[in-house]
Amino acid sequence: MSTVKYFQADELIAFATKVFVGTGMSDADAAVIARDLVKANLRGIDSHGVSRIPMYVERLQRGLVNPRPEVTVEKVAGAVSIVDGNNGMGFIASHKAMAEAVSLASRNGIGLVGVHRSTHFGMGALYALQAIEAGYISMIFTNSSPAVPMWGGRTTFLGASPIAAGIPGGKYAPYVMDMAMTVIARGKIRLAAMKGEAIAEGLALDVHGNPTTDAAKAFEGVCLPFGGVKGSVLATLMDLMSGVLTGANFGGDVRSLYFDHSEPQNVGHLFFAIKPDLFMSPENFEARMDEFYERIKKLPRAAGVDEIMMPGEPEQRREEERSKTGVPITANVIADLTREGERIGVAFPRGRSEGEAA
């Protein structure tokens, strides 16, 4: 088991910001990405947190990602716009796209924004939370590099292509959904490989099409879709809506974030924003969300279950906890980040061991 140290969110954000500035990014863009990565760690989605910094930096330094993109927005219909990410970090284009979707929805009731020439956009919940903060319902689609077979195939073709969605609550936790089309997020397999840990059976195949519990072999092989054919069908939808519709790469053409350094990815995303008071007053909507929340809390629980929670509520509670106790980071990730910082001239924070006073 790897040794773990704990870090305050602010010190990780400061470190990550300096690292990305060191690659040529603007202070503002670097800070956005740093906050987004640490947000993933705070919510317990460590596979999409600061452990990804070395990989992002490599792509920036290889010229595969534009450190200072001119992200443009073009209105194409009454409530529809398209964003050109200019091959910059997907976080930047995606925040701009969600802001545009909310702006369109504020005038039209609904806003739809496509994105092309983007790259990996991190944790999908980032954009659902952005819309919730503005008071809007959202849905977020993306495609990604091949990781999943088309149903009946044995080679990768579709991406893990997560879908995310958010619905503002009243006085209780909002609904936040963020899930890949695989049994387990590919980033979690990558994190297990980095830690030298095994994965459970039934999650992936190796490059030869054989079942494996070796995380490294699984990461190089094929992730299996959740729910069998149903997961494959949903992954197909993500590729069609995010890739074919938006003008981005599709059908196996999105370049691998990890293994393909030949050219930019050209990932596609699709963002929906919806006013929650289209059919009733805002007060009535919030009251109905509260009623829904209270009803699920009163449901009979299955054996061994202490509490039934709204999707996104476990992550919200974890964020509250880690904001106080610190973000746990394993020794191998600390080593990677320390080396990355040294190359750019940025010191990685010391952190604290378990039991050490904050």
Side-chain angles (χ1 to χ4, degrees):
M1 181 66 69
S2 297
T3 303
V4 173
K5 280 193 169 184
Y6 293 81
F7 299 81
Q8 292 303 306
D10 287 349
E11 60 184 347
L12 290 175
I13 291 170
F15 169 78
T17 299
K18 291 176 184 176
V19 168
F20 286 120
V21 168
T23 69
M25 295 182 66
S26 69
D27 291 354
D29 284 357
V32 167
I33 296 165
R35 286 194 298 269
D36 284 350
L37 292 176
V38 176
K39 182 77 165 180
N41 285 118
L42 286 169
R43 291 176 68 83
I45 314 300
D46 296 314
S47 58
H48 287 62
V50 295
S51 67
R52 288 184 178 244
I53 288 174
M55 176 267 297
Y56 287 138
V57 169
E58 181 180 9
R59 296 188 70 82
L60 282 157
Q61 292 179 333
R62 284 176 177 264
L64 298 168
V65 177
N66 184 352
R68 290 182 178 260
E70 294 183 12
V71 179
T72 59
V73 180
E74 179 186 355
K75 191 172 180 180
V76 296
V80 186
S81 294
I82 184 72
V83 168
D84 183 336
N86 196 211
N87 294 323
M89 293 287 279
F91 301 83
I92 305 305
S94 296
H95 279 300
K96 193 159 192 171
M98 182 53 83
E100 173 69 5
V102 166
S103 178
L104 291 167
S106 70
R107 300 190 297 272
N108 302 287
I110 188 168
L112 174 63
V113 178
V115 181
H116 57 207
R117 292 215 302 159
S118 185
T119 60
H120 187 262
F121 72 0
M123 177 179 70
L126 291 167
Y127 313 106
L129 293 167
Q130 178 184 350
I132 286 170
E133 186 174 346
Y136 286 76
I137 296 168
S138 64
M139 290 188 292
I140 300 101
F141 297 173
T142 187
N143 65 0
S144 56
S145 58
V148 177
M150 197 74 185
W151 188 250
R154 67 178 180 86
T155 58
T156 58
F157 179 74
L158 303 167
S161 303
I163 179 174
I167 304 174
K171 59 186 178 183
Y172 301 120
Y175 171 96
V176 181
M177 180 264 284
D178 181 6
M179 63 182 192
M181 299 300 117
T182 49
V183 183
I184 182 175
R186 193 160 185 246
K188 292 182 179 179
I189 294 178
R190 171 180 173 270
L191 197 60
M194 290 174 66
K195 294 179 180 179
E197 296 174 352
I199 59 172
E201 295 181 356
L203 301 183
L205 309 177
D206 64 20
V207 292
H208 304 294
N210 300 311
T212 183
T213 58
D214 184 315
K217 291 181 179 179
F219 187 65
E220 294 175 355
V222 177
C223 297
L224 295 176
F226 79 89
V229 66
K230 294 181 180 180
S232 178
V233 169
L234 281 172
T236 304
L237 177 66
M238 294 299 102
D239 203 17
L240 294 173
M241 295 292 284
S242 304
V244 173
L245 178 64
T246 65
N249 278 346
F250 66 93
D253 284 343
V254 175
R255 302 301 176 184
S256 171
L257 188 65
Y258 313 99
F259 305 122
D260 191 333
H261 298 121
S262 61
E263 60 183 74
Q265 287 187 290
N266 191 11
V267 177
H269 321 300
L270 197 64
F271 297 85
F272 297 81
I274 305 166
K275 288 186 73 175
D277 58 347
L278 288 178
F279 309 116
M280 64 194 69
S281 70
E283 296 77 16
N284 193 14
F285 176 80
E286 289 182 6
R288 290 166 68 84
M289 287 297 293
D290 287 342
E291 177 64 24
F292 185 93
Y293 183 93
E294 289 169 355
R295 288 183 185 182
I296 68 169
K297 294 299 180 181
K298 295 174 184 176
L299 290 170
R301 298 188 298 274
V305 174
D306 295 325
E307 182 183 6
I308 299 172
M309 288 190 267
M310 180 76 87
E313 192 173 10
E315 291 82 359
Q316 179 178 309
R317 293 185 184 182
R318 192 171 295 115
E319 181 174 357
E320 292 169 356
E321 177 188 351
R322 288 187 171 187
S323 294
K324 298 173 184 175
T325 63
V327 173
I329 300 182
T330 56
N332 58 318
V333 174
I334 291 172
D336 287 345
L337 295 176
T338 300
R339 283 193 296 270
E340 203 61 53
E342 288 172 349
R343 277 197 287 268
I344 295 177
V346 180
F348 189 69
R350 173 181 173 275
R352 62 179 179 82
S353 301
E354 190 169 8
E356 186 179 342

